[in-house]
């Protein structure tokens, strides 16, 4: 492990020297690429230097302890610190998801439960919008299909960072663990007997793809236009402005009716389609990986029920990580960091275990 770190230190120093050269910044795309790699290596460099310093402190404390036993406590403290830094280094060396710095398109869809599920989908949307606001991200609702009572049958929102982010703090790095089935237990607004019901909504998170990342040929697309409709099926405009795009080779469909302009709806639908195509390509690549490795990343498996929101007990439970807390009201107001961090830690531990097996 430490031989690999030494090589990364050399790379880090070389990058620092290159980035100090003004001519490098003439090519902005290359400069951003170098800066991103430099930012990735900086925590490793910093932690390794602290680890090495702790080792020097151990040696010095043991030498002084030969004359003064009081230094034994300092030696033990330095040993503990070095052990902690060793584990920190192991985690930092786990290969990072190349999409971690990407923005995302987050979709919330009502599931079983009718209007109650649609209302819960609206609650989830508000939760994510509040979380994004808390961490300083920008949000843009791309498409929304409201229900009769003000919930959402489905809604798509783009979530974007405001500039560069620290490694592991990008939008995809934090929100990718939200994909899956979210279950709610509460007394619905439509319930007259006061009985607790269980319903669910689905969340899909995909990294937003740039046009250059996903090649889409016009001949592979079928574009249908239709009249937008609002709650209850009432027409909200008199022109065929809504757009549905089908990618014929894969059967992947994206639609948008949120904007008044057909052109705007087409552009928004293409954004969603590109992200779904990128997600499908990534999933196909992962399926080619070994079964052993894929079993280690079950924490991000979108097919599983991932979380339960229990209103009577004010309880939130994550079924992948075992996280449980009784602050559901705060979570729904955007306090998601503890929940997300439990998934980040579980995923990192699984990847570390897989790396050690290899």
């Amino acid at each position: 492990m430490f031989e690999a770190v030494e090589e990364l230190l050399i790379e880090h120093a070389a990058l620092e020297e290159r980035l100090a050269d003004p001519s490098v910044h003439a090519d902005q795309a290359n400069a951003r690429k170098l800066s991103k790699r430099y930012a990735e290596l900086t925590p490793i460099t910093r932690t390794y230097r602290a680890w090495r310093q702790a080792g020097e402190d151990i040696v010095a404390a043991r030498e002084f302890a030969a004359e003064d036993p009081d230094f034994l406590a300092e030696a033990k403290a330095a040993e503990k610190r070095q052990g902690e830094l060793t584990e920190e280094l192991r985690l930092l060396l786990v290969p990072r998801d190349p999409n971690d710095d990407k923005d995302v398109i987050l979709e919330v869809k009502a599931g079983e439960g009718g209007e109650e599920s649609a209302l819960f989908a609206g609650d989830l949307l508000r939760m994510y919008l509040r979380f994004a606001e808390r961490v300083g991200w920008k949000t843009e609702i791309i498409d929304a299909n409201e229900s009769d009572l003000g919930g959402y049958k489905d809604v798509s929102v783009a979530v974007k960072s405001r500039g560069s982010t620290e490694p592991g703090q990008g939008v995809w790095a934090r929100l990718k663990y939200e994909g899956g089935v979210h279950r709610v237990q509460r007394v619905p607004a439509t319930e007259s007997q006061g009985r607790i019901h269980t319903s669910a909504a689905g969340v899909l998170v995909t990294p937003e793809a740039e046009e250059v990342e996903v090649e889409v040929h016009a001949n592979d697309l079928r574009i249908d236009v239709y009249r937008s409709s609002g709650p209850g099926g009432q027409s909200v405009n008199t022109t065929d402005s809504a757009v549905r795009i089908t990618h014929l080779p894969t059967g992947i469909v994206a639609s948008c009716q949120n904007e008044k302009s057909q052109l705007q709806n087409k552009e928004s639908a293409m954004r969603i389609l590109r992200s779904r195509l990128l997600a499908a390509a990534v999933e196909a690549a992962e399926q080619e990986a070994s079964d052993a490795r894929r079993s280690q990343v079950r924490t991000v498996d979108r097919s599983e029920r991932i979380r339960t929101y229990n209103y009577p007990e004010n309880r939130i439970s994550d079924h992948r990580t075992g996280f449980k807390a009784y602050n559901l009201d705060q979570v729904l107001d955007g306090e998601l960091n503890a929940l997300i961090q439990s998934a980040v830690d579980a995923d990192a531990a699984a990847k570390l275990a897989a790396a050690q097996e290899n």
Side-chain angles (χ1 to χ4, degrees):
M1 179 179 77
F2 296 108
E3 289 181 4
V5 174
E6 291 286 359
E7 292 177 4
L8 294 177
L9 258 64
I10 294 171
E11 182 184 355
H12 184 265
L15 285 169
E16 188 170 39
E17 186 175 340
R18 290 186 67 185
L19 288 168
D21 182 354
S23 64
V24 170
H25 298 273
D27 184 346
Q28 287 296 313
N30 184 50
R32 281 195 298 270
K33 180 180 177 181
L34 296 177
S35 296
K36 179 182 176 181
R37 180 59 175 166
Y38 181 79
E40 291 174 358
L41 295 180
T42 296
I44 297 173
T45 301
R46 184 170 54 241
T47 303
Y48 180 65
R49 286 172 179 164
W51 177 87
R52 198 162 52 190
Q53 181 61 55
E56 294 173 3
D57 292 343
I58 292 170
V59 173
R62 285 174 178 170
E63 289 177 356
F64 286 125
E67 299 178 2
D68 185 350
D70 289 343
F71 281 99
L72 284 174
E74 289 190 23
K76 290 181 180 179
E79 288 170 359
K80 180 181 178 183
R81 174 65 176 153
Q82 191 177 52
E84 293 169 348
L85 289 166
T86 300
E87 290 307 306
E88 196 174 322
L89 265 177
R90 290 186 193 280
L91 288 174
L92 287 170
L93 291 172
V94 171
R96 293 180 66 240
D97 184 336
N99 290 323
D100 272 355
D101 296 324
K102 287 186 178 294
D103 298 325
V104 309
I105 290 179
L106 185 147
E107 302 173 59
V108 184
K109 297 179 181 292
E112 297 178 2
E115 280 293 342
E116 162 60 5
S117 178
L119 289 171
F120 179 51
D123 293 334
L124 290 177
L125 173 65
R126 179 182 179 276
M127 177 182 76
Y128 291 123
L129 294 178
R130 289 286 292 123
F131 175 67
E133 181 183 344
R134 287 174 182 271
V135 299
W137 295 337
K138 295 181 291 185
T139 56
E140 172 197 358
I141 293 180
I142 300 175
D143 190 35
N145 185 9
E146 294 186 30
S147 68
D148 292 338
L149 297 183
Y152 287 93
K153 296 177 183 178
D154 55 79
V155 57
S156 301
V157 56
V159 186
K160 297 177 175 291
S161 63
R162 296 180 184 270
S164 59
T165 58
E166 291 290 323
Q169 297 301 313
V171 182
W172 171 254
R174 303 298 284 177
L175 289 184
K176 62 185 175 183
Y177 302 101
E178 293 303 301
V181 177
H182 296 240
R183 184 177 69 169
V184 62
Q185 295 171 326
R186 66 182 179 185
V187 178
T190 55
E191 169 60 53
S192 59
Q193 303 294 321
R195 293 171 297 188
I196 296 174
H197 287 225
T198 298
S199 61
V203 175
L204 175 66
V205 187
T206 53
E208 183 160 8
E210 301 290 341
E211 289 189 42
V212 296
E213 292 179 290
V214 179
E215 189 175 3
V216 181
H217 298 288
N219 293 338
D220 291 338
L221 301 178
R222 185 180 74 235
I223 301 177
D224 301 308
V225 295
Y226 57 98
R227 187 161 297 176
S228 302
S229 61
Q234 298 175 343
S235 175
V236 294
N237 60 43
T238 57
T239 61
D240 293 337
S241 61
V243 175
R244 181 187 302 108
I245 303 177
T246 304
H247 186 248
L248 298 175
T250 62
I252 293 175
V253 180
S255 60
C256 185
Q257 63 172 6
N258 219 41
E259 305 293 342
K260 293 181 180 180
S261 159
Q262 187 182 116
L263 179 60
Q264 289 175 312
N265 282 327
K266 181 181 177 182
E267 290 175 350
S268 294
M270 281 300 298
R271 287 175 64 184
I272 296 172
L273 180 66
R274 278 195 294 267
S275 294
R276 289 180 179 174
L277 287 171
L278 178 62
V282 170
E283 186 175 345
E286 287 179 350
Q287 286 177 350
E288 293 177 3
S290 67
D291 291 338
R293 181 191 175 281
R294 280 188 281 120
S295 70
Q296 295 297 325
V297 292
R298 290 178 63 84
T299 54
V300 296
D301 187 348
R302 296 190 180 95
S303 67
E304 297 182 347
R305 183 190 71 202
I306 67 167
R307 201 173 286 158
T308 294
Y309 302 70
N310 185 300
Y311 276 66
E313 299 179 14
N314 198 36
R315 171 170 51 83
I316 182 77
S317 305
D318 194 297
H319 305 295
R320 302 161 299 175
T321 67
F323 179 93
K324 184 183 294 184
Y326 292 85
N327 64 337
L328 177 58
D329 52 339
Q330 296 174 30
V331 168
L332 290 169
D333 195 41
E335 288 282 0
L336 278 173
N337 272 321
L339 267 169
I340 290 174
Q341 193 58 48
S342 72
V344 170
D345 293 342
D347 196 20
K351 288 177 179 177
L352 180 59
Q356 289 174 337
E357 286 179 5
N358 295 331

